[in-house]
Amino acid sequence: MQLSVYNQTFYRIVSDIYRKNQPIKKTMKKTILGIAALLLLSAVPHAIQAQTYVLDKTIALPGDAGFDYVSIDKVNHRLYVSHGTSVNVIDLETEQPVGVIADMKGVHGIAIANKSNRGFISDGRADAVVAFDLTTLKTIATIPVDAKGPDAIIYDPYSDRVFSFNGESNNSSVVDPNTLKQVGTVDLGGGPEFAVADGNGKIYNNLEDKNSLNVIDSKTLKVINNYPLAPCGGPTGIALDGANNRIFSVCRQNKGMSVVDASSGKVIATLPIGGGVDAVAYDPETKLVFCSCGDGTTTIIKQQSADQYSVIQTLKTPVRAKTMALDTKTHKIYLSVADFEPGTRKVVPNTFKVLVYKMQ
């Protein structure tokens, strides 16, 4: 917390009065303490003080198919929502649907490459990556990959490449976003889940079946380190705090979020979260970490420092609302979900939606 020069001076005067035990009336002491508290509070932005999240609105979307990842295009202010064989697109300025990318076989993730003005969708059932235009939302190409089950997908700005993480092949397919061709493969040594790029040539990827974290060189296409995540078991979502060089991996088996030193691989802390976690997101401005869980909760964790964390809220959400995206501009989080018939995995017709939660 940064105080103004005036606030620092005033605080120092108050401290000196008490330290030196100078005579002062009791009522005057209370007044000084009250003013000091107000000054200290005023030094903290309101948005950072109030960090309780509440439901803001519901965005209804058509269709009754399954759903997976959600992703944000920060440049064009759009939210992409995986939905069966299509992707729903929402304008984040109006929070209204603006389009659909359709006619795929089984959508998982969406990656955004603003440099080429293209987006990329992992079509797991087609063993392909689908490229589309970020402006028109029109499909440009379907790119076959020599792997099975493309799932998570990211764009790495450092290498200017797209990486799909193939759950059935234990590898990553590398696509050139300009030529729209596969240009390489990374052997991962285990079943991959979410991944995140640091923008400086490294990609971090959770291996769910190995309870570990890979560090990938995005230029050489090699795994250069593998870090065990114990006590984490079954890691899924991953997020990065680049300023503090910390990785957040969320894990299903132990219902925990592990904080990892990205340089050494040391597990710094493990925090309790809900069950059935999928995604995690980090907000560098508010210092909050969000863990969206299938049990009907999103665990919100406060980062006091690089190595100190505490759970500050268990946000109630619908059951199976486990995939999430964070808009770091508005600090809102977006979770996709549908209603299900009791005791089944059958979606109740016309109930698919995106839930919007905001800071109160």
Side-chain angles (χ1 to χ4, degrees):
M1 178 176 64
Q2 297 296 320
L3 302 177
S4 67
V5 174
Y6 176 78
N7 285 357
Q8 292 176 20
T9 303
F10 190 87
Y11 183 78
R12 192 163 52 247
I13 291 171
V14 173
S15 299
D16 287 342
I17 290 173
Y18 279 91
R19 187 167 54 250
K20 296 175 183 178
N21 197 27
Q22 294 182 7
I24 186 168
K25 290 183 179 181
K26 186 176 181 180
T27 54
M28 183 61 72
K29 286 183 179 181
K30 289 182 178 179
T31 301
I32 292 174
L33 283 174
I35 295 172
L38 287 173
L39 287 171
L40 287 169
L41 193 60
S42 68
V44 185
H46 174 72
I48 309 301
Q49 296 171 30
Q51 294 185 312
T52 300
Y53 271 72
V54 296
L55 180 65
D56 181 32
K57 66 184 64 172
T58 298
I59 306 171
L61 295 172
D64 303 322
F67 50 94
D68 203 347
Y69 297 85
V70 286
S71 181
I72 286 180
D73 176 356
K74 295 181 181 180
V75 173
N76 296 298
H77 310 293
R78 283 176 166 175
L79 177 72
Y80 291 88
V81 184
S82 164
H83 192 193
T85 60
S86 63
V87 173
N88 295 105
V89 187
I90 295 171
D91 184 334
L92 288 178
E93 299 291 343
T94 63
E95 293 183 328
Q96 294 295 319
V98 292
V100 177
I101 306 164
D103 301 323
M104 288 166 282
K105 293 184 178 180
V107 170
H108 288 286
I110 305 97
I112 307 299
N114 293 114
K115 183 179 179 180
S116 60
N117 196 44
R118 290 170 175 172
F120 296 85
I121 301 166
S122 55
D123 191 347
R125 292 187 179 178
D127 297 331
V129 170
V130 176
F132 66 94
D133 186 287
L134 291 178
T135 303
T136 66
L137 303 180
K138 300 295 184 183
T139 298
I140 300 170
T142 297
I143 307 160
V145 296
D146 57 358
K148 295 292 183 183
D151 193 347
I153 187 169
I154 66 167
Y155 169 70
D156 171 48
Y158 185 85
S159 62
D160 190 26
R161 291 166 170 172
V162 175
F163 293 74
S164 75
F165 292 83
N166 311 311
E168 298 175 33
S169 298
N170 292 354
N171 62 15
S172 172
S173 299
V174 186
V175 171
D176 186 316
N178 305 295
T179 64
L180 302 177
K181 303 290 185 182
Q182 182 177 348
V183 294
T185 301
V186 184
D187 182 10
L188 299 174
E193 265 287 346
F194 287 67
V196 63
D198 70 354
N200 296 306
K202 290 180 181 177
I203 295 172
Y204 301 95
N205 169 234
N206 282 334
L207 297 183
E208 187 175 19
D209 59 341
K210 302 296 184 182
N211 302 332
S212 66
L213 170 71
N214 272 341
V215 184
I216 303 165
D217 186 312
S218 66
K219 281 288 192 180
T220 64
L221 307 184
K222 301 291 184 183
V223 174
I224 56 177
N225 266 313
N226 178 265
Y227 301 139
L229 291 175
C232 168
T236 56
I238 190 169
L240 175 68
D241 170 11
N244 289 304
N245 207 33
R246 294 293 181 264
I247 296 165
F248 309 113
S249 286
V250 290
C251 307
R252 290 182 179 174
Q253 291 176 14
N254 65 316
K255 297 181 182 179
M257 184 194 81
S258 290
V259 182
V260 182
D261 184 317
S263 298
S264 67
K266 179 182 178 182
V267 176
I268 302 295
T270 300
L271 285 296
I273 62 174
V277 67
D278 207 7
V280 60
Y282 171 70
D283 190 328
E285 183 176 342
T286 64
K287 308 298 182 184
L288 295 179
V289 188
F290 304 86
C291 310
S292 54
C293 306
D295 67 355
T297 62
T298 290
T299 306
I300 304 178
I301 295 168
K302 177 69 177 182
Q303 179 190 57
Q304 279 90 27
S305 68
D307 296 339
Q308 293 183 317
Y309 301 81
S310 60
V311 175
I312 63 168
Q313 184 183 0
T314 299
L315 177 65
K316 182 64 177 175
T317 60
V319 172
R320 295 178 181 156
K322 61 187 178 66
T323 52
M324 169 189 60
L326 163 72
D327 185 347
T328 54
K329 178 182 177 182
T330 63
H331 308 293
K332 292 181 178 181
I333 56 173
Y334 297 84
L335 291 85
S336 60
V337 74
D339 297 340
F340 291 81
E341 293 184 3
T344 75
R345 297 185 64 86
K346 186 177 180 180
V347 174
V348 176
N350 303 313
T351 62
F352 185 62
K353 53 191 167 281
V354 168
L355 301 176
V356 186
Y357 293 88
K358 68 177 181 179
M359 191 180 290
Q360 195 173 36

